[in-house]
Amino acid sequence: MLRDVTAVRYVTPLRSGGSVPGVVEADDDGTYVVKFTGSAQGRTALVAEVIVGELARALGLRVPELVLAHFDPALGAHEPHHEVRDLLNASAGLNLGMDFLPGARDFTPEIARVFPVDPLEAGRIVWLDALTVNVDRTVHSSNLMVWPTLGTVPPRLWLIDHGAALVFHHRWDVSAPEKRYDFRHHALGLYGPDVRAADAELAPRVTEELLREVVAEVPDAWLTGFATPDEVRAAYVGYLHARVRASQQWLPTDFPSPEELAAENARRAERSRRGRPAWLKQVPDLHGKPPAEQDWSVHLG
Protein backbone atom coordinates (compact mmCIF):
# COMPACT_ATOMS: atom_id res chain seq x y z
CA MET A 1 0.00 0.00 0.00
CA LEU A 2 1.32 3.45 -0.89
CA ARG A 3 2.52 5.39 2.14
CA ASP A 4 1.34 8.90 2.91
CA VAL A 5 4.00 11.55 3.48
CA THR A 6 3.77 15.30 3.99
CA ALA A 7 6.17 17.66 2.26
CA VAL A 8 8.00 19.88 4.74
CA ARG A 9 10.39 21.66 2.33
CA TYR A 10 10.17 22.45 -1.35
CA VAL A 11 13.69 22.10 -2.77
CA THR A 12 13.62 22.83 -6.49
CA PRO A 13 11.65 22.24 -9.70
CA LEU A 14 13.09 19.84 -12.28
CA ARG A 15 13.05 21.86 -15.48
CA SER A 16 13.32 18.96 -17.94
CA GLY A 17 10.23 17.32 -19.32
CA GLY A 18 6.76 18.71 -19.65
CA SER A 19 5.25 18.15 -16.21
CA VAL A 20 7.82 20.17 -14.19
CA PRO A 21 7.96 17.89 -11.14
CA GLY A 22 9.57 19.20 -7.99
CA VAL A 23 12.04 17.80 -5.47
CA VAL A 24 10.71 17.94 -1.91
CA GLU A 25 11.79 16.79 1.51
CA ALA A 26 9.10 15.05 3.57
CA ASP A 27 8.26 14.41 7.19
CA ASP A 28 9.70 10.87 6.99
CA ASP A 29 13.17 12.37 6.27
CA GLY A 30 12.92 11.15 2.68
CA THR A 31 13.51 13.12 -0.51
CA TYR A 32 11.01 12.68 -3.34
CA VAL A 33 10.39 13.80 -6.88
CA VAL A 34 6.77 14.96 -6.79
CA LYS A 35 4.48 15.05 -9.82
CA PHE A 36 1.77 17.60 -9.23
CA THR A 37 -1.95 17.32 -9.88
CA GLY A 38 -1.93 20.83 -11.32
CA SER A 39 0.40 19.95 -14.22
CA ALA A 40 -0.77 20.00 -17.81
CA GLN A 41 -0.98 16.20 -17.87
CA GLY A 42 -3.40 16.25 -14.94
CA ARG A 43 -4.49 13.43 -12.69
CA THR A 44 -4.79 10.86 -15.47
CA ALA A 45 -1.01 10.79 -15.79
CA LEU A 46 -0.72 10.15 -12.05
CA VAL A 47 -3.14 7.24 -12.38
CA ALA A 48 -0.87 5.74 -15.04
CA GLU A 49 2.18 6.31 -12.82
CA VAL A 50 0.60 4.37 -9.96
CA ILE A 51 -0.86 1.49 -11.98
CA VAL A 52 2.18 0.86 -14.17
CA GLY A 53 4.71 1.51 -11.43
CA GLU A 54 3.07 -0.78 -8.91
CA LEU A 55 2.41 -3.47 -11.52
CA ALA A 56 6.09 -3.34 -12.48
CA ARG A 57 7.07 -3.67 -8.83
CA ALA A 58 4.76 -6.65 -8.35
CA LEU A 59 6.43 -8.33 -11.34
CA GLY A 60 9.91 -7.86 -9.89
CA LEU A 61 11.09 -4.84 -11.88
CA ARG A 62 12.89 -1.97 -10.18
CA VAL A 63 10.77 1.15 -9.65
CA PRO A 64 11.56 3.81 -7.02
CA GLU A 65 9.06 3.75 -4.16
CA LEU A 66 5.88 5.69 -4.88
CA VAL A 67 4.20 7.68 -2.10
CA LEU A 68 1.13 9.85 -1.75
CA ALA A 69 2.62 13.26 -1.05
CA HIS A 70 0.58 15.94 0.70
CA PHE A 71 1.73 19.36 -0.42
CA ASP A 72 1.06 22.87 0.88
CA PRO A 73 1.71 25.49 -1.86
CA ALA A 74 2.99 27.86 0.83
CA LEU A 75 6.20 25.80 0.80
CA GLY A 76 6.94 27.13 -2.68
CA ALA A 77 6.03 30.74 -2.01
CA HIS A 78 9.59 31.87 -2.73
CA GLU A 79 9.86 30.02 -6.07
CA PRO A 80 11.08 32.76 -8.48
CA HIS A 81 9.31 31.51 -11.62
CA HIS A 82 5.69 32.57 -11.72
CA GLU A 83 4.52 29.66 -13.89
CA VAL A 84 6.01 27.16 -11.46
CA ARG A 85 4.33 29.02 -8.60
CA ASP A 86 1.04 28.77 -10.50
CA LEU A 87 1.60 25.02 -10.81
CA LEU A 88 2.29 24.68 -7.08
CA ASN A 89 -0.73 26.78 -6.17
CA ALA A 90 -2.91 24.53 -8.32
CA SER A 91 -1.60 21.40 -6.58
CA ALA A 92 -2.63 21.79 -2.97
CA GLY A 93 -3.35 18.51 -1.22
CA LEU A 94 -2.58 15.05 -2.53
CA ASN A 95 0.11 14.53 -5.19
CA LEU A 96 2.36 11.66 -6.24
CA GLY A 97 5.95 11.31 -5.05
CA MET A 98 8.71 9.02 -6.29
CA ASP A 99 11.77 8.23 -4.18
CA PHE A 100 14.70 10.39 -5.28
CA LEU A 101 17.71 8.34 -6.44
CA PRO A 102 20.79 10.41 -5.55
CA GLY A 103 23.45 10.33 -8.23
CA ALA A 104 21.32 8.38 -10.71
CA ARG A 105 22.06 8.89 -14.40
CA ASP A 106 19.74 8.88 -17.37
CA PHE A 107 19.99 5.81 -19.58
CA THR A 108 21.12 7.76 -22.65
CA PRO A 109 22.22 6.32 -26.02
CA GLU A 110 25.81 6.95 -24.94
CA ILE A 111 25.37 4.91 -21.77
CA ALA A 112 23.42 2.24 -23.66
CA ARG A 113 26.49 1.59 -25.83
CA VAL A 114 28.48 0.40 -22.81
CA PHE A 115 25.92 -0.63 -20.18
CA PRO A 116 25.12 -4.37 -20.17
CA VAL A 117 21.46 -5.42 -20.08
CA ASP A 118 20.48 -9.07 -20.02
CA PRO A 119 18.08 -10.01 -22.87
CA LEU A 120 15.60 -11.44 -20.38
CA GLU A 121 15.57 -8.26 -18.27
CA ALA A 122 15.19 -6.23 -21.46
CA GLY A 123 12.38 -8.56 -22.50
CA ARG A 124 10.54 -8.10 -19.20
CA ILE A 125 10.66 -4.32 -19.50
CA VAL A 126 9.57 -4.32 -23.14
CA TRP A 127 6.77 -6.77 -22.29
CA LEU A 128 5.51 -4.57 -19.47
CA ASP A 129 5.57 -1.52 -21.76
CA ALA A 130 3.67 -3.39 -24.46
CA LEU A 131 1.05 -4.59 -21.97
CA THR A 132 0.52 -1.13 -20.53
CA VAL A 133 0.89 0.63 -23.91
CA ASN A 134 3.82 2.70 -22.69
CA VAL A 135 5.12 4.05 -26.00
CA ASP A 136 7.29 6.64 -24.23
CA ARG A 137 10.40 4.56 -23.55
CA THR A 138 12.36 5.20 -26.72
CA VAL A 139 16.03 5.28 -27.62
CA HIS A 140 16.27 9.03 -27.08
CA SER A 141 13.77 9.33 -24.21
CA SER A 142 14.26 6.12 -22.27
CA ASN A 143 12.62 6.99 -18.94
CA LEU A 144 15.18 4.64 -17.46
CA MET A 145 17.78 5.47 -14.84
CA VAL A 146 21.06 3.77 -13.95
CA TRP A 147 21.55 3.59 -10.18
CA PRO A 148 23.49 3.40 -7.93
CA THR A 149 26.45 5.09 -9.55
CA LEU A 150 28.76 5.41 -6.53
CA GLY A 151 30.70 2.19 -7.18
CA THR A 152 29.65 0.42 -3.98
CA VAL A 153 27.33 -2.09 -5.69
CA PRO A 154 26.71 -2.84 -9.37
CA PRO A 155 24.42 -0.29 -11.07
CA ARG A 156 20.98 -1.46 -12.18
CA LEU A 157 18.22 -0.18 -14.43
CA TRP A 158 15.32 1.59 -12.74
CA LEU A 159 12.00 2.39 -14.40
CA ILE A 160 10.56 5.90 -14.03
CA ASP A 161 7.98 8.20 -15.64
CA HIS A 162 4.97 6.13 -16.71
CA GLY A 163 2.53 9.01 -17.03
CA ALA A 164 2.22 8.55 -20.80
CA ALA A 165 1.25 4.88 -20.51
CA LEU A 166 -2.27 3.41 -20.57
CA VAL A 167 -3.15 5.50 -23.62
CA PHE A 168 -6.47 3.66 -23.87
CA HIS A 169 -7.83 5.52 -20.84
CA HIS A 170 -8.05 8.69 -22.90
CA ARG A 171 -10.62 7.07 -25.22
CA TRP A 172 -12.00 3.90 -23.68
CA ASP A 173 -14.45 3.31 -26.53
CA VAL A 174 -11.97 3.05 -29.42
CA SER A 175 -9.01 1.07 -28.05
CA ALA A 176 -9.19 -2.70 -28.50
CA PRO A 177 -7.29 -4.67 -25.82
CA GLU A 178 -5.57 -6.81 -28.45
CA LYS A 179 -4.26 -3.83 -30.45
CA ARG A 180 -0.63 -4.04 -31.51
CA TYR A 181 1.60 -0.96 -31.09
CA ASP A 182 4.94 -0.08 -32.64
CA PHE A 183 7.81 -0.79 -30.23
CA ARG A 184 10.59 -1.00 -32.82
CA HIS A 185 12.21 2.12 -31.35
CA HIS A 186 12.12 0.92 -27.75
CA ALA A 187 15.12 1.99 -25.66
CA LEU A 188 16.08 -1.67 -25.09
CA GLY A 189 15.35 -2.98 -28.58
CA LEU A 190 19.05 -3.25 -29.44
CA TYR A 191 19.65 -5.68 -26.55
CA GLY A 192 17.75 -8.52 -28.23
CA PRO A 193 14.92 -8.49 -25.65
CA ASP A 194 13.56 -11.99 -25.05
CA VAL A 195 9.92 -10.98 -24.98
CA ARG A 196 8.67 -14.54 -25.56
CA ALA A 197 10.39 -15.77 -22.41
CA ALA A 198 9.07 -12.71 -20.56
CA ASP A 199 5.55 -13.42 -21.78
CA ALA A 200 5.74 -17.02 -20.59
CA GLU A 201 7.01 -15.87 -17.19
CA LEU A 202 4.92 -12.75 -16.55
CA ALA A 203 1.58 -13.19 -18.30
CA PRO A 204 0.31 -15.90 -15.90
CA ARG A 205 1.14 -13.60 -12.96
CA VAL A 206 -1.02 -10.71 -14.18
CA THR A 207 -4.25 -12.01 -12.70
CA GLU A 208 -7.48 -10.16 -12.01
CA GLU A 209 -6.63 -10.32 -8.30
CA LEU A 210 -3.23 -8.67 -8.84
CA LEU A 211 -4.74 -6.00 -11.07
CA ARG A 212 -7.42 -5.22 -8.49
CA GLU A 213 -4.73 -4.84 -5.81
CA VAL A 214 -2.70 -2.50 -8.02
CA VAL A 215 -5.64 -0.34 -9.14
CA ALA A 216 -6.84 -0.08 -5.53
CA GLU A 217 -3.74 2.03 -4.81
CA VAL A 218 -5.08 4.93 -6.90
CA PRO A 219 -6.87 7.61 -4.83
CA ASP A 220 -10.58 7.98 -5.59
CA ALA A 221 -10.16 11.68 -6.42
CA TRP A 222 -7.93 10.88 -9.40
CA LEU A 223 -10.40 8.45 -11.01
CA THR A 224 -12.81 10.06 -13.47
CA GLY A 225 -14.63 9.19 -16.67
CA PHE A 226 -17.23 6.84 -15.20
CA ALA A 227 -20.05 7.27 -12.69
CA THR A 228 -17.99 6.13 -9.69
CA PRO A 229 -14.33 5.46 -8.86
CA ASP A 230 -15.12 1.74 -8.51
CA GLU A 231 -16.41 1.68 -12.07
CA VAL A 232 -13.17 3.27 -13.26
CA ARG A 233 -11.16 0.67 -11.35
CA ALA A 234 -13.22 -2.13 -12.89
CA ALA A 235 -12.57 -0.69 -16.36
CA TYR A 236 -8.78 -0.73 -15.81
CA VAL A 237 -8.85 -4.26 -14.44
CA GLY A 238 -11.06 -5.53 -17.25
CA TYR A 239 -9.02 -3.90 -20.01
CA LEU A 240 -5.59 -4.99 -18.74
CA HIS A 241 -6.78 -8.50 -17.97
CA ALA A 242 -8.22 -8.83 -21.47
CA ARG A 243 -5.00 -7.43 -22.94
CA VAL A 244 -2.71 -9.81 -21.08
CA ARG A 245 -4.80 -12.75 -22.31
CA ALA A 246 -4.30 -11.50 -25.88
CA SER A 247 -0.53 -11.13 -25.53
CA GLN A 248 0.24 -13.31 -28.55
CA GLN A 249 -1.47 -10.72 -30.74
CA TRP A 250 0.53 -7.70 -29.52
CA LEU A 251 3.85 -9.23 -28.48
CA PRO A 252 6.59 -7.03 -30.02
CA THR A 253 9.34 -9.03 -31.71
CA ASP A 254 10.40 -7.01 -34.76
CA PHE A 255 13.28 -4.97 -33.33
CA PRO A 256 15.48 -3.46 -36.08
CA SER A 257 19.26 -3.59 -36.05
CA PRO A 258 21.28 -0.38 -35.60
CA GLU A 259 21.93 -0.36 -39.33
CA GLU A 260 18.24 -0.68 -40.13
CA LEU A 261 17.40 2.12 -37.72
CA ALA A 262 20.01 4.39 -39.31
CA ALA A 263 18.66 3.65 -42.78
CA GLU A 264 15.10 4.32 -41.63
CA ASN A 265 16.09 7.66 -40.10
CA ALA A 266 17.94 8.60 -43.29
CA ARG A 267 14.87 7.83 -45.42
CA ARG A 268 12.65 9.87 -43.10
CA ALA A 269 15.05 12.82 -43.23
CA GLU A 270 15.19 12.66 -47.01
CA ARG A 271 11.40 12.69 -47.27
CA SER A 272 11.32 15.77 -45.04
CA ARG A 273 13.95 17.61 -47.08
CA ARG A 274 12.28 16.70 -50.37
CA GLY A 275 9.21 18.74 -49.50
CA ARG A 276 11.08 21.83 -48.32
CA PRO A 277 11.82 24.97 -50.30
CA ALA A 278 15.45 25.44 -51.27
CA TRP A 279 16.23 27.82 -48.41
CA LEU A 280 15.17 25.16 -45.86
CA LYS A 281 17.05 22.22 -47.34
CA GLN A 282 20.24 23.13 -45.44
CA VAL A 283 18.58 22.97 -42.00
CA PRO A 284 20.62 20.52 -39.86
CA ASP A 285 19.21 17.00 -39.88
CA LEU A 286 17.90 16.15 -36.40
CA HIS A 287 16.26 12.84 -37.30
CA GLY A 288 17.32 10.21 -34.79
CA LYS A 289 19.00 12.82 -32.58
CA PRO A 290 17.95 13.29 -28.94
CA PRO A 291 15.75 16.33 -28.34
CA ALA A 292 17.34 19.30 -26.63
CA GLU A 293 16.64 19.40 -22.91
CA GLN A 294 14.02 21.96 -22.09
CA ASP A 295 15.41 24.98 -20.23
CA TRP A 296 12.42 26.34 -18.38
CA SER A 297 14.39 29.32 -17.11
CA VAL A 298 14.23 30.82 -20.59
CA HIS A 299 10.50 31.43 -20.46
CA LEU A 300 9.70 31.15 -16.77
CA GLY A 301 11.79 34.06 -15.64
Side-chain angles (χ1 to χ4, degrees):
M1 186 173 182
L2 299 190
R3 295 187 299 112
D4 282 79
V5 302
T6 299
V8 296
R9 189 168 82 91
Y10 178 70
V11 180
T12 185
L14 297 179
R15 294 185 175 91
S16 61
S19 63
V20 196
V23 179
V24 308
E25 294 175 356
D27 59 352
D28 65 345
D29 295 327
T31 303
Y32 300 94
V33 176
V34 172
K35 287 199 169 184
F36 296 105
T37 55
S39 72
Q41 288 84 347
R43 290 170 170 80
T44 305
L46 303 187
V47 173
E49 292 278 10
V50 173
I51 293 177
V52 180
E54 292 307 297
L55 181 58
R57 193 187 318 282
L59 296 176
L61 298 172
R62 286 176 291 275
V63 180
E65 182 188 9
L66 300 179
V67 297
L68 299 175
H70 297 264
F71 183 77
D72 181 351
L75 296 175
H78 300 292
E79 166 58 48
H81 298 305
H82 69 275
E83 290 190 20
V84 175
R85 287 200 308 274
D86 289 345
L87 168 63
L88 302 181
N89 289 334
S91 304
L94 197 61
N95 298 273
L96 184 68
M98 174 179 286
D99 193 25
F100 181 73
L101 304 180
R105 299 182 63 189
D106 290 325
F107 185 74
T108 62
E110 293 72 26
I111 290 179
R113 282 195 285 268
V114 298
F115 189 80
V117 180
D118 179 78
L120 183 54
E121 180 180 22
R124 292 184 182 116
I125 295 172
V126 173
W127 185 89
L128 172 77
D129 289 337
L131 170 65
T132 59
V133 198
N134 180 24
V135 294
D136 196 28
R137 207 186 309 276
T138 64
V139 173
H140 298 303
S141 179
S142 70
N143 289 326
L144 293 168
M145 303 292 288
V146 176
W147 187 80
T149 56
L150 304 177
T152 54
V153 295
R156 296 286 185 263
L157 282 183
W158 290 75
L159 285 63
I160 62 168
D161 287 352
H162 299 108
L166 306 181
V167 297
F168 54 84
H169 63 186
H170 298 291
R171 296 191 65 184
W172 288 97
D173 57 334
V174 298
S175 299
E178 66 274 11
K179 181 177 179 180
R180 184 182 181 90
Y181 293 82
D182 183 5
F183 283 91
R184 293 176 305 118
H185 295 272
H186 194 281
L188 301 178
L190 299 181
Y191 287 93
D194 194 343
V195 290
R196 297 192 185 281
D199 184 54
E201 174 193 356
L202 300 180
R205 296 170 57 185
V206 182
T207 61
E208 285 187 282
E209 180 181 6
L210 174 60
L211 290 170
R212 282 194 294 269
E213 291 175 359
V214 166
V215 175
E217 299 283 0
V218 181
D220 283 0
W222 297 354
L223 296 169
T224 60
F226 289 80
T228 67
D230 284 342
E231 288 185 29
V232 187
R233 289 191 174 91
Y236 281 110
V237 171
Y239 190 99
L240 289 170
H241 192 239
R243 185 161 175 79
V244 77
R245 287 180 294 172
S247 63
Q248 291 304 307
Q249 298 182 53
W250 50 255
L251 202 64
T253 56
D254 53 343
F255 301 102
S257 67
E259 294 75 21
E260 290 170 329
L261 277 177
E264 182 178 320
N265 287 332
R267 288 192 297 269
R268 187 184 300 112
E270 177 56 30
R271 285 196 300 270
S272 297
R273 284 193 293 267
R274 196 180 305 141
R276 292 173 178 169
W279 64 275
L280 269 180
K281 291 186 183 293
Q282 302 307 313
V283 172
D285 173 26
L286 297 180
H287 284 288
K289 308 291 194 305
E293 180 175 306
Q294 296 185 36
D295 181 4
W296 286 82
S297 65
V298 172
H299 57 87
L300 294 180

